[in-house]
Amino acid sequence: MPSDGRPIAESLGLKPAGEVARESLNRAKAAAKAKGLYPGKEPRRAPLEPQVSGSRAGGRDPRTLTETLGALLAQRGWNQDVAVGGVIGRWPQIVGEDIAAHSTAETFENNVLTVRAHSTAWATQLKFLIPNLLSRIASDIGDGVVREIRIIGPDAPKFSRGKFSVKGRGARDTWG
């Protein structure tokens, strides 16, 4: 201390230590704010594990049954088979009640839909209606899924054995 009893910093004209520290802190805060940082707040850290819930849609959110089944069908490649299964199940709505009363869609293999007629007359009639049926089915499930419709006649019982068997040529039907 000098002889007049004042501290050396004051006699040299220096600022007090507390004021120097406060100014330094204010400068550091201003520099941090300019960089987009906010001094005194906890830094935001990315969570170590991914967030499993929140206001936004995520991979773990529940899905509707339609979405789940659609994803399963697409993954397995069953979309076409299911579409044709819908045609077989909704045969009366697609072809109309009159035609559906006399025919049944039976199988679908290799883009060929097999339709069984209830009589030989209806089998002949359905053969003439094949272009119309193909266009109705294409508009319902998509073009090119069913490429051919095969019409088969009624399924008659076989009388080759049993109590109704006949020697010779046997019972005849007008079908093929």
Side-chain angles (χ1 to χ4, degrees), residues 2 18 22 34 54 93 95 111 116 123 128 138 140 156 166:
R22 193 174 305 107
Q93 289 86 15
V95 298
N111 297 0
R116 181 171 301 279
F128 290 120
D140 193 52
V166 184

Side-chain angles (χ1 to χ4, degrees), residues 14-31:
L14 298 176
K15 294 181 183 177
E19 193 175 324
V20 172
R22 193 174 305 107
E23 286 177 2
S24 176
L25 178 62
N26 288 338
R27 278 194 309 272
K29 282 183 177 182

Side-chain angles (χ1 to χ4, degrees), residues 129-143 146 149:
L129 293 175
I130 285 177
N132 292 343
L133 295 176
L134 281 172
S135 66
R136 284 185 189 175
I137 291 170
S139 68
D140 193 52
I141 63 169
D143 201 22
V146 177
I149 296 178

Side-chain angles (χ1 to χ4, degrees), residues 38-45:
Y38 296 96
K41 287 191 174 184
E42 288 287 323
R44 290 188 62 163
R45 294 183 185 169

Side-chain angles (χ1 to χ4, degrees), residues 5 38 54 78 87 103 105 109 115 126 145 149 154 162:
Y38 296 96
W78 293 340
V87 168
S103 64
E109 292 178 14
V115 177
L126 287 174
V145 176
I149 296 178

